[in-house]
Amino acid sequence: MIEPGATIGIIGGGQLGRMLSMAAAQLGFKCHIFDPHDHGPAAQVSASFTRAAFDDRAALELFGNAVDIVTYEFENLPCEPLAILGDKLRPSARSLAIAQDRAREKQFIEGCDARVAGWRAVSSLDEVEAAVAALGTPVVLKTRRYGYDGKGQAWIRDPADAGAAWDAIGREPAVAEAGVDFTAEFSVIVARWADGRHSCWDSAENQHGDGILRRSTVPCSDAVAVQVEEAREATLRIAEALDHIGVLTVEFFASETGPVVNEIAPRVHNSGHWTIEGAVTSQFEQHIRAICDLPPGSTALAGNGATMDNLIGRDVDRWAELVAEPDLHVHIYGKGEARPGRKMGHVTRISPRA
Ligand code: AMP
């Protein structure tokens, strides 16, 4: 067990690191952030900060020696240098390696007997065209690596669009994925301990715009609720197969044939931000508890439900109006410029108990 007073290293210095660090501080831990950029959201609220590139082995080694345990909040890390951290790293680099390559991820999910959309790995225009012929339209091309929030993606609605889509994603190795005709999107977030104990929160129903999460709502609609049990079972099989320690998120489409996995994230997730005020124990606190091997907290709802809205780009300019709403929980991440599509903060409304 890693006890309060210890130092937790967090690789990645964005808003997820910030919220992890705040939850860790509440439990009496100190956090040390490792990130290539100064003045990030996490370093602002943490005890220590190392500025270094993610593949700087010497800096990673010093960092590993300075902390009691290490976790990560960012997926696009080179895995190989992380080996220097040994078993201080939780979750392991394997969870990361699988989640950061869409082709490996899909194979792995299929191996766990969970449903994914029809897909093909592609690395040339010929292969894209063959995939479109096999899968039918619409198809979405997604780069195997470095995609997030809809970036590195292009839709093919007509076979004639294949070349333009291939160009649009930079002719990178990709997966071609059949478009799923879904009624809703939702996520299952699980925290898993080294000994296999685990706990899930109620599933949030997620609304996206331009590939970016806009709103998460708990409880979910009936159309989603009927698919949650099957989705949870799939999530647990995935977490077990990864031997995952900490929080794991699986995003699903609710389709006519049942839940279809969209992607997995080996970390706390935007669709779980509502748990900060909406659940007895937040995803951030539970992640810290799981990696430190403290007992699990309750994941029950704190009220009757919650709605979380992201503040994207200039939405954050409305902060004065938002903080004037007495029942609204306002989170502002301390980022610099409010660029379009950038997640600058979020707000959560809790539905009170009747
Ligand atoms: P992703 O970055 O893979 O999570 O994709 C961002 C969003 O694009 C998803 O949340 C969906 O709204 C949409 N999307 C991605 N893949 C598909 C698909 N195969 N079928 C339908 N919509 C998709």
Side-chain angles (χ1 to χ4, degrees):
M1 187 183 294
I2 310 285
E3 298 183 3
T7 300
I8 299 173
I10 302 177
I11 304 178
Q15 67 267 21
L16 300 179
R18 180 184 181 94
M19 290 182 269
L20 280 170
S21 187
M22 288 160 75
Q26 185 180 329
L27 286 170
F29 294 100
K30 297 190 253 316
C31 286
H32 183 154
I33 306 300
F34 188 104
D35 192 87
H37 304 290
D38 270 335
H39 310 302
Q44 291 168 29
V45 301
S46 296
S48 348
F49 172 55
T50 294
R51 180 183 174 173
F54 291 130
D55 60 356
D56 182 336
R57 283 159 212 264
L60 274 173
E61 187 168 16
L62 283 175
F63 170 72
N65 291 337
V67 301
D68 296 286
I69 190 161
V70 183
T71 191
Y72 47 86
E73 60 97 75
F74 180 67
E75 248 154 280
N76 292 325
L77 300 173
C79 286
E80 208 242 316
L82 299 176
I84 221 157
L85 298 168
D87 57 12
K88 275 193 181 171
L89 186 67
R90 293 181 189 174
S92 72
R94 185 162 163 261
S95 289
L96 189 64
I98 289 170
Q100 69 182 199
D101 176 342
R102 289 191 190 270
R104 243 184 117 180
E105 177 184 54
K106 287 187 189 300
Q107 268 163 0
F108 189 83
I109 295 165
E110 286 174 330
C112 294
D113 224 0
R115 219 180 267 108
V116 292
W119 68 283
R120 298 279 188 284
V122 294
S123 46
S124 67
L125 180 55
D126 282 351
E127 286 177 358
V128 175
E129 286 170 347
V132 171
L135 299 168
T137 51
V139 156
V140 55
L141 273 190
K142 300 180 178 178
T143 53
R144 281 178 71 153
R145 288 172 176 273
Y146 306 120
Y148 67 99
D149 287 346
K151 293 190 172 62
Q153 299 190 8
W155 281 86
I156 303 173
R157 300 190 189 279
D158 183 291
D161 303 340
W166 178 238
D167 289 344
I169 64 156
R171 304 177 182 205
E172 296 275 328
V175 296
E177 194 180 301
V180 176
D181 188 13
F182 58 80
T183 47
E185 294 186 72
F186 68 103
S187 42
V188 176
I189 307 182
V190 64
R192 185 176 178 276
W193 273 250
D195 63 6
R197 276 175 298 170
H198 57 265
S199 60
C200 292
W201 288 263
D202 285 16
S203 275
E205 184 157 338
N206 302 322
Q207 285 166 255
H208 293 80
D210 298 328
I212 305 177
L213 182 69
R214 302 279 153 170
R215 169 173 284 189
S216 290
T217 310
V218 173
C220 55
S221 63
D222 292 346
V224 167
V226 295
Q227 303 204 357
V228 166
E229 195 179 322
E230 189 181 339
R232 271 193 188 183
E233 285 167 7
T235 301
L236 289 177
R237 288 196 300 276
I238 293 167
E240 285 288 323
L242 290 170
D243 204 10
H244 191 84
I245 304 176
V247 166
L248 172 82
T249 304
V250 183
E251 290 185 78
F252 289 91
F253 301 118
S255 82
E256 239 175 39
T257 51
V260 175
V261 176
N262 175 22
E263 60 179 356
I264 66 178
R267 54 167 172 78
V268 288
H269 194 261
N270 194 171
S271 63
H273 290 1
W274 67 271
T275 61
I276 297 177
E277 296 89 6
V280 176
T281 310
S282 76
Q283 60 167 349
F284 301 100
E285 177 175 341
Q286 198 82 316
H287 182 74
I288 299 297
R289 285 172 174 259
I291 63 172
C292 293
D293 209 21
L294 302 179
S298 162
T299 52
L301 290 182
N304 261 351
T307 304
M308 186 283 320
D309 287 296
N310 273 333
L311 301 176
I312 296 171
R314 304 301 296 266
D315 289 349
V316 74
D317 294 350
R318 291 172 47 224
W319 68 267
E321 171 200 327
L322 296 167
V323 288
E325 267 191 59
D327 294 334
L328 196 63
H329 298 281
V330 180
H331 297 252
I332 295 174
Y333 302 149
K335 293 184 177 177
E337 199 193 336
R339 290 193 293 272
R342 194 172 194 202
K343 290 174 179 168
M344 302 300 291
H346 73 266
V347 293
T348 303
R349 284 184 180 79
I350 302 299
S351 322
R353 287 197 189 281

